[in-house]
Amino acid sequence: EIDKKIIKALMKNPRASFQELSKSTNLNHETIRYRMKKFVKEKLITNFGLIHDYKKYGLYVNYFLININEKKLNLELFKKYLNSKLNIFYCAKLEGDYNCIVYATSKSPQELGKIQDDLMDSLGDSIKNLDLLFMGKTLKYEQFPKELL
């Protein structure tokens, strides 16, 4: 119940100080401080950062949906490749028709073409299929679904 109060208050104002959270939840600021440290330790809160509007930086967000033959994939080399690319900011394994998704930023269609070629080269013959999606307008974004509260 206390945790939910704090999370609801953070959803309303993610930049609130411990003192402000204390006021809005009627909880002692030391309780807030303790719980916030606990949230971080338990990885309920994993970062305190910005939600980027990439278009304001002149960047496009692109999603590569990939079907990889995992038996042919050298996972360690693929991880090294991903970590070496500054414009790739997310990669995850999936279940379904595609088993991998990669998020990358690009400044132009030409740069995106190079990223795609480079990605395909890094995967070599382990790639079965690759589809490309472009991020359009965000219609809804919630970092923390209300149903969990």
Side-chain angles (χ1 to χ4, degrees), residues 37-52:
K37 283 183 180 181
K38 185 180 97 164
F39 293 162
V40 171
K41 184 177 180 182
E42 293 175 356
K43 298 196 190 285
L44 292 172
I45 294 177
T46 56
N47 70 45
F48 298 91
L50 301 172
I51 299 170
H52 295 286

Side-chain angles (χ1 to χ4, degrees), residues 96-109:
D97 292 339
Y98 296 92
N99 56 7
C100 182
I101 187 166
V102 174
Y103 296 10
T105 58
S106 65
K107 293 179 184 171
S108 67

